[in-house]
Structures are given as structure tokens and as C-alpha cells.
């Protein structure tokens, strides 16, 4: 069979149009709220369906499944779980600043908002606050449209008496755009609306005097600077930062309020994780004592009374969810039906325009009702004036309606109302009631016409209604706006306990840290084929600096190194040294500790240990080595305040030079330690430091030679000299020992 009327189009055109249609549907009919009532379609349909079910404030609760069934069956043909979740969010007092739904049963908790019971178990009804969306619904204020199957009608928008889009805010993700509108305090929003009605020229800065910041359903503090909040309201984009509230109770720290949508259980987990990792030594315990009377009560137990809250709390605020930022993106569907990010003034102006239009519709609707009633009353009063004639016509005529219209000059509506009168309503007293009603309606008609003819009176009516709603629904701000300093996490070196530690390096580049300084690194167990290479004494909160064979340095906190109870871990797991490089030396100490760094090519300089620190896994070049040169063991300088350095070369030369002739550098090749002839293969085999009163002992095999003060003076030369040759038999030095005459301390340099 051949079909000629098939529409054909390129695939890319079809897919582009299909995706565009889908995107517009998601933006306009699912994800973004409307400025008029601040609701998304599913929320609007839930509220309307509940009102149609009679589930208004004060009525009897009904099963939530009944409500969800009505919403899906009549207005919103989508998934029941998504619809029920939207309903739950509107009922949670910790999610909505002004809940629209009141629930019975398990509706979730602060720790887990999605822990609510199934809809077959919970019951619900509308809250009293929902009246601001519904009270004028039947007064001709909104447009109506067919539902999805055309059998019913539903409101396009709800006639919100207040800017609900600011009161409860909204969040949503559409296609290519999103919205994050924070909740606000009703009284403050109302005051800003009144200010804008009275003074349309008001700036956002002046409005922010009345509306200083969002107001979340939590007692936590808003600590965003005022200037940033004003900028947020000017652009419609920004962020709000919230901080938990805490106080001291005896010796404990009590968290009494958490930022919006922050789980207390998660905060407990975050703090406990730091304690387990030994990154929080000043905290002994943390527990959750929250109950019905105290929805948020987290207890942090310090290790001692000496712990300063003002030190520990900024760290916890910076490293846990006790302080959080919330994105603000005031994107919404405007009165023109298009999504737009609006600033505060434009938002309020547009909503006030909608509200004034709604009031006009309500007044016009009421005026039409009054005029219809006055028309009927006029006919009824004519009937009372000609009561006998009316009774006779009704009793004698076959078609009394037609006769009444002709004889009494009535309209069809008036004639029908006369014929519908009951006999008891023909009393004189009823006539007086009708005249009183006519007088009241005439007065009300004049007032409505006066309001409709004056923009000023209309605005005053709106102000009066806003003030009335403030009295009925307003409450105090929950989230205080307080200026606070930015929280800073404590340095890990401060948090780590200061304990003596010995860091041990093996020849294969494995590292471990042993508690205490009484460890003999030569006697501990090593992996097969591995052995002792170097060790250094220090404290656990200090940085351990590792130097490889290429002159690069790497650093890590000592307390993060594996325990010496095991065989440690390879440094290549932490760092990425050059191919073929070997880790050879370890340095521990304070940042201002000085070391003499040198190569066997005869170049060197003095460096602060802090200059060797780096966060780079690839390390950083500290000592630039000439071709084929090797790095010598670094020599500690600051501990004994040495005056001289001792150099022994492979040709048997010894020179003693003033330490002050070497520069203090952060990196580089250094300068010549002594004058080695050019193109010579001579190298340095020993480098030591010497005080003025120290003695030097030279070891060559089993022989040794002690240089006393007179001999030492002989070898003292300038840095640009080569020094003097040692006696025969001591030109192949194995070891140089410097003996301190004051305390017997010895520094050994082993070749």
C-alpha cells in the first residue's frame, strides 16, 4: 500500500524541534516557579486538589494516598512517588519556612528529610497559611484551563495575597537553567512591598533596610557580609553563608542550631572521622542528644578544660557542615510567560502588578454580583408595591411570568425571582430587609467604583490587605543576620600532638616513624634485600624533609608517616621523583633550622629547613649538582652555632674555613667550599662543622690522628685556598670526628 500524505523532514530538524519542545515543557511546566504564586505546576495542583477535597485548615485529616490519587487522576498524570515527595516537602517545617501542608505521621526528619513514611500511612490537610493562596480563588481572580483530559478545569495560577515566591523560595533544575530562590520572612517581605507601593523610586539598598537577608527555617546565623547580600539582590545571583549556633555548657560545647538542610548525623560523622584520623586531638568525644524538646543538640566534649572554644570551633566550622554556603539564583517565570533572573526590585514590582490586577478582577467580579443582586432587589420591591396584583396574576394566569413582565415592566430575571418567592417572604418585615440590603449594596457598589477609578485608593487597599495578612500569618525572623569573621581551619602541625619521633629511611626508599628518640634504626627489621639508609630525630608535628640523589627535596608531616611497628611504605607512593633517583637523607626540625648543603664537586651553601618544604609531589630542586657530582650528607648548623666548616678532599687535602664565608640561599648550586683545581677529578670526601674550642680526630683504617688547637690553626685558610695536605697515612680518611670540649658531644662524618 502506498501512502502519499506522509510528512517527511530531515532527522536533525526533527530531533532539534523535539528537544526544544521538551526543554520548553520542563522549563515552563515542571521545574521553574511562577512569580505570581511562587509554585511549580505540581505544587499548584496539590494545593488546589486538597482544597477541592475539603482538606482546608481545621478540617479532618485524610490519607495522603487519597490526595495523591486525586492529583494524579484529575490534574497531574505523572509518577505518584514524585508527586508525594513534592507534597512532603511542603509539609516539612525544616524545609519550608511557611509550610503549606499540615501532616500527621512520619514526614521525615532534619537528619534525613527523605525518611518519610509511605503515603498509605500518613495523613494530611492544608495549613492555615495556605489560605493566602486559596482564599480568593472563587472570586473571579484567576483564569481557568482544561485539565489534561478535558473533563475538568484547573486554575492557571493561584491568587496569592503575598509574594509567596519569596516567602518559601524554590529550587529546581530545568534544561539549561536552574533556580535557587531562598525563603524570606513574611513581615520583612510585606514591609518591602509596602515601601515600594508608597515610594516606587525606592532603590534596592533602601529595600534591603527592610528586607536585610533571606530567612531560613532554622535558627542558624547568616554571616554573609551586608555588601554581598545587597549585590545578590541587585543581580539576582550570589550565595548565602550560614553558620551553626553553639554555646558552652559546663565544659562541653553544645551545638543548638544547624544550617539549613544540614544533617546532625553527618556533622557527627565528619567530626568523628577527624578524631579517628588523629586530626582533632583537643576533642575527646562527640554525641547527638537531639530529642523532641531539643531538635538540634550536638555535644562536643573537649579533652580538657584548658581547650579554648575560640580555637576549636573555627576549625570545625571550616572543616564540617557546621558552616555552609547556599547558591542564590532568582530565576522564575515572569508575567510574560518567560523565564528570567530578576533582582529584588523587579521581582516585587512585577508581583505587585499581578496583585493589583488580581484585586481589580476581584472587585469587578464583586461589582457584577452586586449589580445582579440590586437588579433582582429592584424587581422584588416592585412586587411588594403591587403585591395584590402579583398574587392575582400568579393565581389566575396560566403564564404568570409573561404577564408579570408586561404589567410591571420587569425583566425575565426579576420575574423569575418573584415567582421563586416563598409565601412567608411576603411579610412586611421581609420588605424592610430587602430595602436595608439594597442600601448596603448601593453603598458597597459606590465604594468599589471609587476604588476602581483611583489608582491611589487601589494601592491603599492593597497596603491594608498586606498589613492584615502580616497580622494573621507573620512571625519573627528565625535566622539572625550577624557579622562574623571567616572561619579558618587549624594547621595540621598545630592539631597533631607534639611527640618525640624518629623517622627512618631504608636504602630502597621505604619510610616509617617510631615514637621516641631511643630507637636504634640499625636493629629494627627491614624487608629482604633492604637495610638502613638514614634516620632523623624530631617531633611529630614537624615536616619531614627527604632529599634524593638529584638534589630535590620532598616533605610530609611526620605524624602522617606509617608506624615503625610495620615495615613502612615506599616514598614513591607519596612522591614522584625523577627516574633513577634514590631517596638518601632525612631532615627534621623547625623551619628556621639551618643546614649546610653541599655536593662532592666542592660547591655548597647554607639553607633554612623551611625553604625545603614543598607540597609538590614531584619535589623541588634545592641543590643543583654539577655533572657526575653527588650530594653530601646535609650538616646541621644551628644547633651548635659553629664557627668553621672542615673539608677533606680525595687527594688528602684538609681545609678549615670560616662558616660566615658561605651564603644563606633557598636553592642553587652554591659557591666553592675550597679551591679545587680546574679539570681535576678531586672531590670532597668529608664535610664537618667545628667550634673554636673543638678537637678533630682523623681515622684512616686502624690508625687515628687527633688535631689539637695548634694543629687546627695550621689548617685554617681562606675559602679561595685549597688547604694543606694531611700527613702520609692519613690521606685516605675513613672518618672525621669533631669532639666538643665543653660537653663531650661528638659529630661523626662517615665516608
Amino acid at each position: 500500500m502506498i501512502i502519499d500524505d506522509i510528512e517527511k523532514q530531515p532527522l536533525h530538524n526533527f530531533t532539534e524541534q523535539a528537544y526544544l519542545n521538551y526543554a520548553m515543557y520542563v522549563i515552563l511546566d515542571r521545574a521553574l516557579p511562577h512569580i505570581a504564586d511562587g509554585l511549580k505546576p505540581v505544587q499548584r495542583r496539590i494545593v488546589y486538589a486538597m482544597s477541592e477535597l475539603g482538606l482546608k485548615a481545621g478540617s479532618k485529616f485524610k490519607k495522603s494516598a487519597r490526595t495523591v490519587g486525586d492529583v494524579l487522576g484529575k490534574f497531574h498524570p505523572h509518577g505518584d512517588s514524585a508527586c508525594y515527595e513534592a507534597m512532603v516537602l511542603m509539609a516539612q517545617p525544616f524545609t519550608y519556612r511557611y509550610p503549606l501542608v499540615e501532616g500527621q505521621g512520619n514526614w521525615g526528619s532534619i537528619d534525613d528529610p527523605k525518611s518519610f513514611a509511605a503515603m498509605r500511612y500518613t495523613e494530611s490537610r492544608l495549613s492555615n497559611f495556605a489560605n493566602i493562596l486559596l482564599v480568593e480563588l472563587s472570586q473571579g481572580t484567576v483564569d481557568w484551563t482544561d485539565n489534561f483530559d478535558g473533563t475538568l478545569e484547573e486554575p492557571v495560577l493561584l491568587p496569592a495575597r503575598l509574594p509567596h515566591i519569596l516567602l518559601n523560595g524554590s529550587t529546581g533544575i530545568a534544561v539549561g537553567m536552574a533556580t535557587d530562590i531562598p525563603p524570606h520572612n513574611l513581615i520583612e517581605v510585606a514591609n518591602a512591598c509596602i515601601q515600594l507601593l508608597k515610594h516606587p523610586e525606592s532603590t534596592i539598598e533602601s529595600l534591603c533596610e527592610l528586607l536585610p537577608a533571606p530567612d531560613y527555617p532554622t535558627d542558624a546565623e547568616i554571616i554573609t557580609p551586608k555588601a554581598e547580600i545587597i549585590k545578590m539582590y541587585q543581580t539576582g545571583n550570589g550565595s548565602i553563608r550560614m553558620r551553626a549556633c553553639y554555646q558552652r555548657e559546663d565544659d562541653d560545647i553544645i551545638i543548638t542550631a544547624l544550617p539549613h538542610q544540614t544533617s546532625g548525623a553527618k556533622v557527627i560523622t565528619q567530626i568523628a572521622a577527624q578524631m579517628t584520623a588523629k586530626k582533632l586531638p583537643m576533642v575527646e568525644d562527640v554525641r547527638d542528644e537531639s530529642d523532641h524538646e531539643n531538635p538540634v543538640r550536638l555535644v562536643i566534649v573537649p579533652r580538657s578544660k584548658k581547650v579554648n572554644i575560640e580555637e576549636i570551633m573555627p576549625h570545625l566550622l571550616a572543616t564540617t557542615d557546621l558552616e555552609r554556603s547556599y547558591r542564590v539564583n532568582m530565576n522564575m517565570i515572569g508575567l510574560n510567560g518567560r523565564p528570567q533572573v530578576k533582582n529584588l526590585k523587579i521581582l516585587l514590582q512585577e508581583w505587585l502588578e499581578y496583585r493589583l490586577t488580581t484585586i481589580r478582577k476581584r472587585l469587578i467580579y464583586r461589582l457584577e454580583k452586586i449589580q445582579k443582586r440590586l437588579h433582582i432587589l429592584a424587581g422584588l420591591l416592585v412586587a411588594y408595591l403591587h403585591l395584590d396584583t402579583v398574587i392575582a396574576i400568579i393565581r389566575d394566569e396560566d403564564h404568570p411570568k409573561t404577564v408579570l413582565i408586561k404589567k410591571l415592566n420587569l425583566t425575565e430575571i426579576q420575574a423569575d425571582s418573584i415567582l421563586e418567592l416563598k409565601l412567608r417572604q411576603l411579610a412586611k418585615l421581609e420588605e424592610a430587609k430587602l430595602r436595608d440590603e439594597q442600601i448596603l449594596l448601593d453603598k458597597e457598589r459606590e465604594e468599589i467604583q471609587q476604588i476602581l477609578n483611583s489608582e491611589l485608593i487601589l494601592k491603599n487597599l492593597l497596603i491594608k490587605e498586606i498589613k492584615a495578612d502580616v497580622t494573621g500569618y507573620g512571625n519573627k525572623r528565625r535566622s539572625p543576620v550577624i557579622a562574623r569573621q571567616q572561619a579558618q581551619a587549624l594547621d595540621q602541625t598545630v592539631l597533631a600532638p607534639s611527640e618525640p619521633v624518629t623517622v627512618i629511611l631504608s636504602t630502597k626508599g621505604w619510610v616509617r616513624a617510631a615514637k621516641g628518640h631511643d630507637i636504634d634504626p640499625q636493629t629494627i627489621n627491614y624487608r629482604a634485600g633492604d637495610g638502613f639508609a638514614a634516620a632523623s630525630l624530631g617531633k611529630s608535628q614537624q615536616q619531614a624533609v627527604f632529599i634524593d640523589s638529584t638534589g630535590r627535596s620532598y616533605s610530609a608531616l611526620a605524624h602522617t608517616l606509617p608506624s615503625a611497628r610495620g615495615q613502612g611504605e615506599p616514598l614513591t607512593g607519596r612522591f614522584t621523583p625523577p627516574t633513577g633517583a634514590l631517596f638518601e637523607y632525612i631532615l627534621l626540625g623547625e623551619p628556621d633550622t639551618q643546614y649546610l648543603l653541599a655536593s662532592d664537586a666542592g660547591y655548597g651553601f647554607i639553607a633554612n629547613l623551611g625553604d625545603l618544604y614543598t607540597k609538590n609531589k614531584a619535589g623541588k630542586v634545592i641543590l643543583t649538582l654539577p655533572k657526575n657530582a653527588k650530594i653530601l650528607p646535609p650538616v646541621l648548623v644551628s644547633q651548635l652555632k659553629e664557627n668553621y666548616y672542615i673539608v677533606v678532599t680525595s687527594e688528602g687535602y684538609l681545609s678549615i674555613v670560616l662558616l660566615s664565608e658561605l651564603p644563606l640561599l633557598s636553592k642553587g648550586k652554591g659557591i666553592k667550599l675550597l679551591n679545587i683545581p680546574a679539570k681535576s677529578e678531586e672531590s670532597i670526601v668529608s664535610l664537618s662543622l667545628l667550634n673554636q674550642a673543638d678537637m678533630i680526630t682523623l681515622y684512616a683504617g686502624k690508625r687515628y690522628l687527633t688535631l689539637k688547637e695548634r694543629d687546627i690553626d695550621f689548617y685554617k685558610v681562606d675559602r679561595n685556598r685549597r688547604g694543606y695536605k694531611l700527613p702520609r697515612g692519613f690521606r685516605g680518611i675513613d672518618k672525621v670526628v669533631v669532639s666538643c670540649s665543653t660537653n663531650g658531644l661528638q659529630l661523626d662524618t662517615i665516608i
Side-chain angles (χ1 to χ4, degrees):
M1 181 176 65
I2 300 175
I3 301 176
D4 296 328
D5 59 347
I6 296 178
E7 180 184 355
K8 296 181 180 180
Q9 58 178 306
L11 182 60
H12 71 274
N13 289 346
F14 173 78
T15 54
E16 180 181 346
Q17 189 60 41
Y19 187 76
L20 181 62
N21 292 338
Y22 165 74
M24 293 303 297
Y25 166 74
V26 172
I27 292 170
L28 299 178
D29 293 323
R30 180 178 292 185
L32 298 188
H34 200 286
I35 191 173
D37 54 14
L39 298 176
K40 301 176 187 179
V42 64
Q43 297 168 331
R44 188 178 300 116
R45 288 163 177 166
I46 290 171
V47 171
Y48 175 66
M50 293 182 75
S51 69
E52 288 296 289
L53 282 170
L55 296 177
K56 296 187 177 180
S59 64
K60 186 178 179 181
F61 287 94
K62 282 187 179 179
K63 286 287 185 182
S64 300
R66 170 72 186 279
T67 300
V68 173
D70 259 39
V71 173
L72 300 185
K74 294 180 178 179
F75 309 112
H76 196 72
H78 296 281
D80 59 340
S81 59
C83 179
Y84 179 51
E85 185 172 339
M87 179 180 172
V88 168
L89 294 177
M90 291 193 291
Q92 292 176 337
F94 47 84
T95 300
Y96 265 45
R97 180 64 178 82
Y98 300 95
L100 296 173
V101 177
E102 186 180 350
Q104 280 191 159
N106 176 14
W107 290 80
S109 64
I110 298 177
D111 280 342
D112 188 3
K114 294 192 176 183
S115 62
F116 49 84
M119 58 185 173
R120 61 182 177 274
Y121 300 119
T122 61
E123 297 179 338
S124 57
R125 66 185 179 194
L126 290 171
S127 67
N128 188 46
F129 179 78
N131 287 333
I132 70 161
L133 299 173
L134 297 167
V135 70
E136 297 177 357
L137 186 60
S138 60
Q139 298 178 21
T141 53
V142 298
D143 297 328
W144 296 76
T145 185
D146 290 339
N147 68 338
F148 64 91
D149 61 1
T151 58
L152 296 169
E153 284 192 331
E154 61 176 313
V156 176
L157 298 169
L158 296 181
R161 290 174 58 91
L162 291 170
H164 178 256
I165 195 163
L166 283 179
L167 300 184
N168 275 323
S170 184
T171 60
I173 300 175
V175 178
M177 60 181 65
T179 182
D180 288 282
I181 305 172
H184 292 76
N185 183 269
L186 188 149
I187 297 176
E188 295 173 354
V189 171
N191 289 339
C193 289
I194 294 171
Q195 170 74 8
L196 204 54
L197 284 169
K198 292 181 177 179
H199 306 283
E201 73 285 355
S202 297
T203 63
I204 291 180
E205 289 83 354
S206 62
L207 292 175
C208 286
E209 295 296 324
L210 301 170
L211 184 61
D215 185 24
Y216 292 88
T218 173
D219 297 330
E221 302 171 349
I222 293 176
I223 62 170
T224 307
K226 183 178 179 180
E228 291 185 18
I229 296 177
I230 293 176
K231 185 178 179 181
M232 176 196 77
Y233 284 129
Q234 288 174 334
T235 61
N237 283 292
S239 63
I240 292 294
R241 194 158 190 84
M242 297 197 76
R243 177 176 292 183
C245 297
Y246 60 91
Q247 62 189 30
R248 187 124 196 186
E249 189 176 293
D250 296 329
D251 295 328
D252 299 337
I253 303 170
I254 310 298
I255 309 295
T256 57
L258 292 172
H260 182 48
Q261 293 181 332
T262 296
S263 166
K266 184 177 179 181
V267 172
I268 293 286
T269 302
Q270 290 172 334
I271 297 175
Q274 292 191 45
M275 295 170 62
T276 303
K278 297 182 180 179
K279 294 182 179 180
L280 208 57
M282 64 282 289
V283 174
E284 182 178 355
D285 189 24
V286 58
R287 59 181 181 270
D288 190 350
E289 294 184 354
S290 304
D291 53 28
H292 290 292
E293 293 183 1
N294 302 288
V296 177
R297 183 180 169 84
L298 308 183
V299 182
I300 300 172
V301 182
R303 191 167 293 277
S304 69
K305 296 181 180 180
K306 296 180 181 179
V307 173
N308 187 355
I309 288 184
E310 302 310 319
E311 289 183 359
I312 183 175
M313 285 310 298
H315 172 77
L316 292 177
L317 292 170
T319 58
T320 69
D321 283 350
L322 290 175
E323 185 173 309
R324 291 180 62 187
S325 287
Y326 301 87
R327 194 168 76 96
V328 175
N329 178 23
M330 296 201 288
N331 189 11
M332 64 201 74
I333 300 172
L335 296 181
N336 60 1
R338 296 181 178 181
Q340 182 185 2
V341 177
K342 302 181 186 294
N343 65 33
L344 179 62
K345 185 175 180 179
I346 292 176
L347 190 157
L348 292 177
Q349 284 176 331
E350 198 163 331
W351 181 84
L352 289 172
E353 179 185 343
Y354 169 77
R355 182 59 189 157
L356 288 171
T357 302
T358 302
I359 294 177
R360 285 193 190 94
K361 288 182 178 179
R362 187 188 74 202
L363 293 175
I364 292 172
Y365 179 82
R366 176 59 182 164
L367 184 61
E368 291 174 352
K369 290 282 187 181
I370 290 173
Q371 289 173 339
K372 288 181 181 179
R373 181 60 181 167
L374 286 173
H375 181 67
I376 292 173
L377 289 176
L380 293 176
L381 289 174
V382 168
Y384 278 106
L385 290 175
H386 305 86
L387 190 57
D388 294 337
T389 304
V390 171
I391 293 174
I393 291 173
I394 294 173
R395 182 169 44 185
D396 298 334
E397 298 293 335
D398 293 333
H399 302 286
K401 178 178 177 180
T402 306
V403 177
L404 284 174
I405 291 173
K406 288 182 178 180
K407 283 195 173 184
L408 299 179
N409 194 23
L410 300 174
T411 64
E412 189 173 341
I413 295 175
Q414 290 173 328
D416 286 335
S417 63
I418 291 172
L419 292 173
E420 290 173 359
L421 281 173
K422 295 179 180 179
L423 286 175
R424 64 183 181 185
Q425 291 178 309
L426 299 177
K428 194 72 175 176
L429 185 61
E430 291 297 325
E431 182 184 355
K433 287 182 180 179
L434 291 177
R435 293 191 180 278
D436 290 341
E437 183 182 356
Q438 188 181 41
I439 292 170
L440 290 174
L441 290 177
D442 275 331
K443 183 179 179 182
E444 185 178 354
R445 179 178 61 181
E446 291 177 1
E447 291 176 350
I448 291 176
Q449 289 174 338
Q450 188 178 11
I451 293 171
L452 290 174
N453 293 332
S454 172
E455 191 72 20
L456 179 61
I457 298 176
L458 184 64
K459 287 184 178 180
N460 288 335
L461 174 62
L462 175 53
I463 291 173
K464 182 180 178 181
E465 291 181 353
I466 290 175
K467 289 181 177 179
D469 290 331
V470 168
T471 303
Y473 305 106
N475 52 26
K476 293 181 180 179
R477 164 174 282 275
R478 288 197 60 184
S479 303
V481 183
I482 301 177
R484 300 285 190 189
Q485 292 183 346
Q486 185 175 358
Q488 295 286 345
L490 292 174
D491 193 290
Q492 290 301 316
T493 59
V494 177
L495 291 173
S498 181
E499 300 174 341
V501 66
T502 302
V503 179
I504 304 167
L505 178 67
S506 74
T507 55
K508 298 286 188 181
W510 285 59
V511 67
R512 46 188 151 171
K515 290 184 179 180
H517 290 167
D518 54 351
I519 306 298
D520 184 358
Q522 301 279 2
T523 60
I524 62 175
N525 293 325
Y526 292 90
R527 298 166 65 249
D530 203 356
F532 170 74
S536 185
L537 308 180
K539 294 185 177 180
S540 56
Q541 87 278 17
Q542 293 175 336
Q543 292 270 1
V545 175
F546 304 91
I547 299 179
D548 69 11
S549 55
T550 67
R552 304 179 75 90
S553 71
Y554 312 80
S555 60
L557 286 168
H559 72 85
T560 65
L561 299 176
S563 171
R565 294 177 180 174
Q567 293 181 338
E569 66 178 36
L571 284 175
T572 50
R574 290 174 176 254
F575 312 122
T576 54
T579 304
L582 300 176
F583 292 99
E584 295 185 342
Y585 307 110
I586 305 172
L587 306 180
L588 271 176
E590 297 300 322
D592 59 353
T593 303
Q594 292 184 340
Y595 280 88
L596 172 54
L597 303 179
S599 66
D600 64 357
Y603 294 89
F605 61 91
I606 298 172
N608 285 323
L609 185 59
D611 291 331
L612 277 60
Y613 296 165
T614 177
K615 294 182 179 179
N616 192 347
K617 286 188 175 182
K620 67 177 181 179
V621 177
I622 298 299
L623 182 62
T624 303
L625 299 176
K627 187 177 181 180
N628 299 325
K630 297 180 180 179
I631 187 171
L632 294 173
V635 183
L636 180 64
V637 173
S638 59
Q639 185 176 358
L640 294 176
K641 299 181 182 179
E642 296 84 1
N643 294 324
Y644 298 90
Y645 64 87
I646 311 165
V647 180
V648 179
T649 72
S650 58
E651 296 294 330
Y653 283 88
L654 171 65
S655 64
I656 302 175
V657 184
L658 279 171
L659 191 62
S660 58
E661 293 197 34
L662 296 182
L664 178 65
L665 303 175
S666 59
K667 62 179 180 178
K669 180 179 179 182
I671 64 174
K672 282 189 175 184
L673 302 178
L674 76 166
N675 188 13
I676 296 178
K679 298 182 180 180
S680 171
E681 296 183 0
E682 187 176 5
S683 61
I684 295 177
V685 296
S686 174
L687 178 63
S688 308
L689 297 180
L690 175 72
N691 270 335
Q692 182 70 36
D694 289 344
M695 295 187 300
I696 303 172
T697 303
L698 307 174
Y699 290 86
K702 295 182 179 180
R703 304 175 66 186
Y704 67 90
L705 173 65
T706 300
L707 301 181
K708 298 189 178 178
E709 185 175 350
R710 183 182 60 185
D711 302 318
I712 291 175
D713 289 339
F714 172 76
Y715 288 102
K716 288 180 180 178
V717 295
D718 294 332
R719 185 179 59 81
N720 59 2
R721 298 275 302 276
R722 190 179 184 188
Y724 296 102
K725 269 202 172 186
L726 291 167
R728 289 183 180 277
F730 289 94
R731 295 177 184 175
I733 297 297
D734 297 322
K735 184 168 63 172
V736 177
V737 176
V738 179
S739 304
C740 181
S741 59
T742 56
N743 55 16
L745 182 63
Q746 291 187 341
L747 298 177
D748 293 358
T749 301
I750 303 175
I751 301 171

